[in-house]
Amino acid sequence: MKKRKLKSAPVLLFLLCAFVCLFFEGCKTLSMQKESIDLFTLFDDGADVYLHIPVNEANKSFVRNLVNSWTDDINESDLNNMLNRTEEIAAAFFIEWGANLKSTVKFQLASRGKYPSLLINAGLTKKNGWTDVSEKAADMILNRKRHSNNIELASPDNNHIFISNKDVLSMQKKYFLSLISPVSVLDWPSLPGENTALPVRTLMDDAELVSVYMPTAGSLLPKMVGSPIELGIKYAAGTLKSYKEDHAIVTLKLQMSDERSLKIAEKLFRFAVLGTNIIVKQDRGTVLILDNFVVWPAALTGLLEKKR
């Protein structure tokens, strides 16, 4: 197949994991740690989107669609091998907006699974564009790999992989600190519930569905429906599942800043979704629900343009 230039660095995040599976297919798997770190505590502050993917059979299709949204230059068998070794994926996306809905996206990704140590030495070689990077921190030597495309990867043990085009070193430091003392956590908000508030962090622990949290939904969601304006949305959270072709169906709850902002957002989204099956309705308090919202997967990470 004719090779094409990758559209953006984040695709290497998935392409990399799929590629290296060629080197450890069939290796004996290792047992998981009894104590599991909260993957979201490894990320830098200030992300615009957080995504959690439990890698089950239903969600593998979503991951494949997400990868294919970026590139066609990936072997499906290699990707399946990677997914079969992964239990869950957590990611944070940092979006910088330019003119005409153009965006630059930085990411930090942490996956949990069963990854033989052969992964680093056998797959990430100088021949494949990788160099070794080491740094001393608190009497520890932190090793990672750096690709010529400014992607870095670290595997602190046989159960985790960290990948980023932003900062892997900070993830390594937080991981090892978490082994000896508690680490700071995100300030997760809560949504109004029937009898009690629903913490968004609980939603992100869903064992079956892909979940998403958008602290800057007031900027991202209008852009997803073609509007450059910003809305008074404090945050949005919801779940999604794979849909036909290369899309996903999302159910989102938008916590609006006040009643006026709720009315404006409701009118905007009702107008934007005319002729579709999207449901827009009010929930408790100043929460607006978008249900049956069909999106291109990569748009959730701030990339609104499809590959050409």
Side-chain angles (χ1 to χ4, degrees), residues 9-211:
V11 67
L12 288 177
L13 158 159
F14 297 102
L15 187 58
L16 159 66
C17 291
F19 170 78
V20 296
C21 285
L22 291 172
F23 296 93
F24 57 80
E25 174 67 5
C27 291
K28 183 178 179 180
T29 56
L30 300 174
S31 60
M32 298 292 290
Q33 290 179 330
K34 292 183 179 180
E35 298 295 331
S36 296
I37 185 175
D38 180 352
L39 298 180
F40 289 103
T41 64
L42 302 174
F43 303 140
D44 291 350
D45 295 334
D48 298 283
V49 179
Y50 295 92
L51 197 64
H52 179 255
I53 308 173
V55 184
N56 51 40
E57 287 301 318
N59 294 335
K60 285 179 181 179
S61 179
F62 169 79
V63 177
R64 293 188 193 100
N65 287 341
L66 186 61
V67 174
N68 291 330
S69 298
W70 290 93
T71 182
D72 295 323
D73 301 327
I74 187 168
N75 184 283
E76 184 175 352
S77 176
D78 295 344
L79 178 58
N80 289 336
N81 289 338
M82 181 274 286
L83 293 177
N84 289 337
R85 290 190 175 276
T86 301
E87 292 190 356
E88 65 175 319
I89 299 170
F93 299 90
F94 305 78
I95 309 167
E96 293 184 8
W97 294 103
N100 301 318
L101 301 183
K102 300 285 187 179
S103 62
T104 300
V105 181
K106 298 288 187 180
F107 68 87
Q108 291 179 310
L109 177 145
S111 67
R112 188 176 355 246
K114 299 175 181 178
Y115 311 111
S117 57
L118 181 63
L119 167 71
I120 299 300
N121 294 326
L124 310 182
T125 64
K126 186 174 182 180
K127 180 180 178 181
N128 294 326
W130 295 90
T131 56
D132 295 311
V133 180
S134 297
E135 187 161 336
K136 186 175 181 179
D139 297 324
M140 295 184 298
I141 301 298
L142 302 179
N143 300 311
R144 60 190 188 278
K145 295 281 187 175
R146 178 179 295 156
H147 194 269
S148 54
N149 283 9
N150 200 34
I151 300 288
E152 290 191 341
L153 178 145
S155 182
D157 54 35
N158 293 315
N159 301 131
H160 298 88
I161 291 178
F162 308 151
I163 310 173
S164 179
N165 65 347
K166 184 179 188 293
D167 192 350
V168 158
L169 180 61
S170 65
M171 298 175 68
Q172 291 177 280
K173 290 179 178 179
K174 290 178 181 179
Y175 174 78
F176 286 110
L177 284 175
S178 73
L179 301 179
I180 57 177
S181 64
V183 295
S184 60
V185 298
L186 288 171
D187 184 16
W188 298 93
S190 295
L191 289 162
E194 183 174 354
N195 298 314
T196 184
L198 172 64
V200 171
R201 184 66 187 86
T202 301
L203 176 69
M204 299 297 284
D205 278 334
D206 196 299
E208 299 296 328
L209 297 175
V210 177
S211 48

